[in-house]
Amino acid sequence: LQKTLILLHVTASVVVGKTLMILFPSAMKRYILKQGEKSRMNENPKFNYENWGPTFFSFKYLLFVLKVKWKRLEDEAYEGHPAPNTPVVTFSGEVRHLVDFMQ
Protein backbone atom coordinates (compact mmCIF):
# COMPACT_ATOMS: atom_id res chain seq x y z
CA LEU A 1 0.00 0.00 0.00
CA GLN A 2 2.81 2.42 0.89
CA LYS A 3 4.58 1.74 -2.42
CA THR A 4 1.34 2.42 -4.32
CA LEU A 5 0.83 5.73 -2.53
CA ILE A 6 4.43 6.72 -3.21
CA LEU A 7 4.00 5.76 -6.88
CA LEU A 8 0.89 7.93 -7.17
CA HIS A 9 2.50 10.87 -5.37
CA VAL A 10 5.75 10.82 -7.35
CA THR A 11 3.95 10.28 -10.66
CA ALA A 12 1.62 13.21 -9.98
CA SER A 13 4.60 15.40 -9.01
CA VAL A 14 6.46 14.50 -12.20
CA VAL A 15 3.40 15.16 -14.39
CA VAL A 16 2.80 18.54 -12.75
CA GLY A 17 6.51 19.42 -12.88
CA LYS A 18 6.85 18.46 -16.55
CA THR A 19 3.72 20.43 -17.42
CA LEU A 20 5.05 23.50 -15.62
CA MET A 21 8.42 23.12 -17.38
CA ILE A 22 6.63 23.20 -20.73
CA LEU A 23 4.31 26.10 -19.86
CA PHE A 24 6.72 28.22 -17.78
CA PRO A 25 10.31 27.21 -18.64
CA SER A 26 12.06 30.28 -17.19
CA ALA A 27 10.13 30.15 -13.91
CA MET A 28 10.86 26.43 -13.51
CA LYS A 29 14.55 27.03 -14.27
CA ARG A 30 14.66 29.61 -11.46
CA TYR A 31 12.86 27.16 -9.13
CA ILE A 32 15.22 24.27 -9.92
CA LEU A 33 18.27 26.52 -9.51
CA LYS A 34 16.90 27.70 -6.16
CA GLN A 35 16.59 24.06 -5.07
CA GLY A 36 20.20 23.54 -6.18
CA GLU A 37 21.29 26.33 -3.83
CA LYS A 38 19.82 24.46 -0.87
CA SER A 39 22.03 21.45 -1.61
CA ARG A 40 24.97 23.75 -2.47
CA MET A 41 25.16 22.10 -5.88
CA ASN A 42 25.53 25.53 -7.49
CA GLU A 43 28.92 25.96 -5.79
CA ASN A 44 30.44 23.39 -8.13
CA PRO A 45 32.46 25.27 -10.81
CA LYS A 46 31.49 22.60 -13.37
CA PHE A 47 27.78 23.20 -12.62
CA ASN A 48 25.83 23.93 -15.78
CA TYR A 49 22.03 23.93 -15.66
CA GLU A 50 21.71 23.06 -19.34
CA ASN A 51 23.52 19.75 -18.74
CA TRP A 52 21.20 18.41 -16.05
CA GLY A 53 18.19 20.77 -15.64
CA PRO A 54 16.12 19.32 -18.49
CA THR A 55 16.39 15.84 -16.90
CA PHE A 56 14.15 16.95 -14.03
CA PHE A 57 10.66 15.46 -14.30
CA SER A 58 11.75 12.96 -17.00
CA PHE A 59 10.97 9.23 -16.97
CA LYS A 60 14.50 8.46 -15.67
CA TYR A 61 13.93 11.02 -12.90
CA LEU A 62 10.64 9.30 -12.00
CA LEU A 63 12.31 5.88 -11.79
CA PHE A 64 15.21 7.21 -9.71
CA VAL A 65 12.97 9.00 -7.20
CA LEU A 66 10.74 5.91 -6.88
CA LYS A 67 13.76 3.69 -6.26
CA VAL A 68 15.10 5.99 -3.55
CA LYS A 69 11.73 6.43 -1.82
CA TRP A 70 10.93 2.71 -1.92
CA LYS A 71 14.38 1.90 -0.55
CA ARG A 72 13.81 4.30 2.33
CA LEU A 73 10.71 2.33 3.34
CA GLU A 74 13.05 -0.45 4.41
CA ASP A 75 15.35 1.87 6.38
CA GLU A 76 13.16 2.53 9.38
CA ALA A 77 14.71 2.26 12.82
CA TYR A 78 12.83 1.85 16.05
CA GLU A 79 14.09 2.25 19.60
CA GLY A 80 15.00 -1.08 21.11
CA HIS A 81 15.18 -2.83 17.73
CA PRO A 82 18.20 -3.48 15.51
CA ALA A 83 19.21 -0.67 13.15
CA PRO A 84 18.78 -1.30 9.41
CA ASN A 85 21.82 -2.76 7.66
CA THR A 86 21.78 -0.23 4.84
CA PRO A 87 23.88 -0.96 1.74
CA VAL A 88 26.61 1.58 0.94
CA VAL A 89 29.04 1.91 -1.95
CA THR A 90 32.77 2.35 -1.29
CA PHE A 91 34.99 4.69 -3.30
CA SER A 92 36.16 1.68 -5.30
CA GLY A 93 32.53 0.92 -6.27
CA GLU A 94 32.14 -2.12 -4.03
CA VAL A 95 28.70 -2.57 -2.42
CA ARG A 96 29.01 -3.20 1.32
CA HIS A 97 26.70 -2.93 4.32
CA LEU A 98 27.01 -0.78 7.44
CA VAL A 99 27.63 -3.81 9.66
CA ASP A 100 30.73 -4.62 7.57
CA PHE A 101 32.36 -1.40 8.78
CA MET A 102 31.63 -2.14 12.42
CA GLN A 103 33.58 -5.41 12.46
Side-chain angles (χ1 to χ4, degrees), residues 1-12:
L1 179 63
Q2 285 180 323
K3 283 188 175 185
T4 304
L5 292 174
I6 290 171
L7 172 66
L8 292 173
H9 178 260
V10 172
T11 302

Side-chain angles (χ1 to χ4, degrees), residues 62-81:
L62 170 74
L63 294 179
F64 176 77
V65 172
L66 284 175
K67 180 181 174 182
V68 169
K69 288 189 174 275
W70 286 346
K71 195 80 160 146
R72 285 186 182 168
L73 285 175
E74 302 165 4
D75 287 345
E76 293 183 5
Y78 299 98
E79 188 175 339
H81 292 83

Side-chain angles (χ1 to χ4, degrees), residues 87-96 101:
V88 293
V89 179
T90 64
F91 287 116
S92 62
E94 181 184 359
V95 177
R96 306 275 303 269
F101 297 99

Side-chain angles (χ1 to χ4, degrees), residues 49-62:
Y49 174 81
E50 285 70 27
N51 290 340
W52 60 267
T55 64
F56 270 69
F57 308 115
S58 65
F59 185 68
K60 280 187 174 182
Y61 174 86
L62 170 74

